[in-house]
Amino acid sequence: MERSGVTPPGAVAAPDLAEVLTAGGPYISLYLTTEAGIDNASYRSEQRWKTLRGDLADAGAPEDVLAAIDPLVGEAHQQGQMLAVIANHGGILHVEHGPDVPPRDRAEIGPNPPLLPLLAVRQGSPTHVTVLADRAGADITVHRHDRPQLHTEAGGDDFPIRQVSAGGWSQRRYQERAENTWERNADDVAGQIEAVVDRYGARLVVLAGDVRAVEMIQKALPAAVADLVTVVDGGRSEDGSEARFADAVREQVTALVNKDVMDLIGKFREELGQGDRAADGPDDTLAALALAQVEVLLVADSPDDSRTALFGPDPTQVGREADTLRSMGVDDPQTGPLLDVAVRAALGTGAAVEIVPAGDLPTGRLGAILRWS
């Protein structure tokens, strides 16, 4: 059992979704557009839901479960552009909101919930921290994909903040006091940044503000946190620069997400070329999932993918042939979309998932980086 090198970070681990998969199906899955910032947003969301609700009822969804979803729809636009709900006949199992409109509205009943849209939201929204600083302190905000922003202020020591040109023997003393105040505030800001990065596992810190304050904060950060910092233009004052700062943050988050994809694909290709810690294509990947061997499942999603696979009660009971499942002790395997079956097995065995462009996987839009060769 050999490992070769370290797998890059960035793939989505989702133990909460793995827990949903233990509840048992059939699953009722909803992905609904909830457009924010438009007139009559609640009404439009409810009209979309009305159509999908009828489809689910016709497919056999229990009325009490549909009724439990009803109150989630009207105000969902206040939390994002997408509402996702996973339920079974026992009730609602998971509710999540996304920042972007889903590729299409969908509501279905099946043996597995389609989780790739949720994983795509999480992949595109890594936990990150934004910091707007001046010499008095900073506004620090933690951004997470599925929870309200967490905001805190650091620093606040305000005597003296400004250097003065008093003249005479006292000028140097006032200047030194001002520098000491800035340093204390910078140290406090750095300590707060380190604390939230450690607590929430942030992978990016976007820092903007007064040039001197930014320099002092960076200097005060430990090396491991300083490596996560990107400095952009922006300020703490209310000068209309908030939109520019928000755009700069989005650019940095997108850059991080794209780097994660490239790094993981690069590692996959390296391991595949060595004939080592990689599985390529549906058959090899499902075989690795059956051994709980997968560290990162690589998936190229496609709305027209009609391939299927078989699975049993245990996450490792997966394959493409009935004989394979029977050899695992599953007499009556269920059939589901190939990618959904692979995601179920990956999450159920503690693997992470990364969605990648179709052209980056040589065979069958499915592959994996393995825990061991």
Side-chain angles (χ1 to χ4, degrees):
M1 185 182 298
E2 297 181 358
R3 295 185 64 99
S4 57
V6 177
T7 301
V12 179
D16 59 327
L17 298 181
E19 186 174 346
V20 168
L21 293 169
T22 66
Y27 289 93
I28 300 156
S29 304
L30 169 68
Y31 290 95
L32 181 71
T33 299
T34 56
E35 296 171 288
I38 63 169
D39 292 336
N40 300 319
S42 292
Y43 174 78
R44 296 180 66 168
S45 296
E46 288 167 350
Q47 289 301 111
R48 290 189 178 94
W49 166 233
K50 182 179 180 180
T51 300
L52 297 175
R53 194 187 197 283
D55 294 341
L56 289 172
D58 292 343
E63 173 58 30
D64 61 332
V65 176
L66 299 177
I69 298 174
D70 288 340
L72 301 176
V73 175
E75 304 301 321
H77 66 279
Q78 297 180 4
Q79 301 184 62
Q81 303 270 48
M82 179 187 79
L83 169 66
V85 181
I86 308 296
N88 64 7
H89 284 217
I92 293 175
L93 301 170
H94 185 80
V95 178
E96 193 164 324
H97 301 269
D100 299 313
V101 171
R104 60 188 175 93
D105 288 345
R106 59 191 292 190
E108 57 196 70
I109 301 177
N112 272 331
L115 296 179
L116 280 172
L118 281 180
L119 294 170
V121 169
R122 299 185 183 194
Q123 181 174 312
S125 307
T127 300
H128 59 283
V129 177
T130 57
V131 183
L132 287 171
D134 59 22
R135 300 181 194 190
D139 297 312
I140 302 172
T141 306
V142 182
H143 304 258
R144 298 174 291 175
H145 76 274
D146 62 338
R147 300 178 187 178
Q149 297 176 2
L150 293 176
H151 178 77
T152 187
E153 294 185 13
D157 190 354
D158 60 0
F159 179 79
I161 286 293
R162 297 180 180 177
Q163 291 181 337
V164 297
S165 299
W169 62 273
S170 62
Q171 179 175 348
R172 178 178 178 84
R173 183 179 64 185
Y174 277 110
Q175 289 176 334
E176 288 176 348
R177 286 181 178 176
E179 285 280 354
N180 291 338
T181 301
W182 301 345
E183 288 177 1
R184 286 194 300 271
N185 287 333
D187 288 344
D188 185 53
V189 171
Q192 293 277 12
I193 293 172
E194 181 183 8
V196 297
V197 166
D198 290 345
R199 180 172 182 179
Y200 299 107
R203 299 186 52 239
L204 172 69
V205 178
V206 184
L207 173 60
D210 176 88
V211 173
R212 178 68 174 135
V214 166
E215 291 175 350
M216 297 176 80
I217 292 167
Q218 288 182 285
K219 184 179 179 180
L221 287 169
V225 179
D227 289 343
L228 305 178
V229 173
T230 297
V231 177
V232 300
D233 292 335
R236 198 179 184 192
S237 60
E238 298 180 2
D239 58 358
S241 64
E242 294 88 349
R244 293 196 302 275
F245 180 64
D247 289 342
V249 171
R250 280 192 290 270
E251 289 177 4
Q252 295 303 319
V253 169
T254 299
L256 174 63
V257 172
N258 291 340
K259 182 179 184 300
D260 287 342
V261 171
M262 291 188 293
D263 288 348
L264 286 163
I265 286 294
K267 184 62 177 175
F268 169 75
R269 289 173 176 168
E270 173 192 325
E271 298 292 350
L272 190 64
Q274 295 172 349
D276 200 0
R277 287 197 304 127
D280 179 31
D283 293 330
D284 287 351
T285 302
L286 290 176
L289 287 165
L291 295 173
Q293 192 180 6
V294 171
E295 181 177 8
V296 177
L297 180 70
L298 302 173
V299 179
D301 194 11
S302 173
D304 60 357
D305 194 335
S306 60
R307 297 173 297 172
T308 60
L310 303 175
F311 65 97
D314 190 272
T316 59
Q317 294 170 330
V318 292
R320 302 189 78 182
E321 303 294 336
D323 287 345
T324 303
L325 273 292
R326 281 193 284 268
S327 71
M328 299 176 181
V330 182
D331 295 327
D332 188 21
Q334 297 189 75
T335 301
L338 169 64
L339 299 186
D340 291 344
V341 171
V343 167
R344 175 182 181 270
L347 296 181
T349 55
V353 180
E354 184 79 356
I355 301 170
V356 302
D360 287 331
L361 294 176
T363 307
R365 300 197 296 275
L366 194 64
I369 300 170
L370 305 181
R371 293 184 168 112
W372 68 86
S373 60

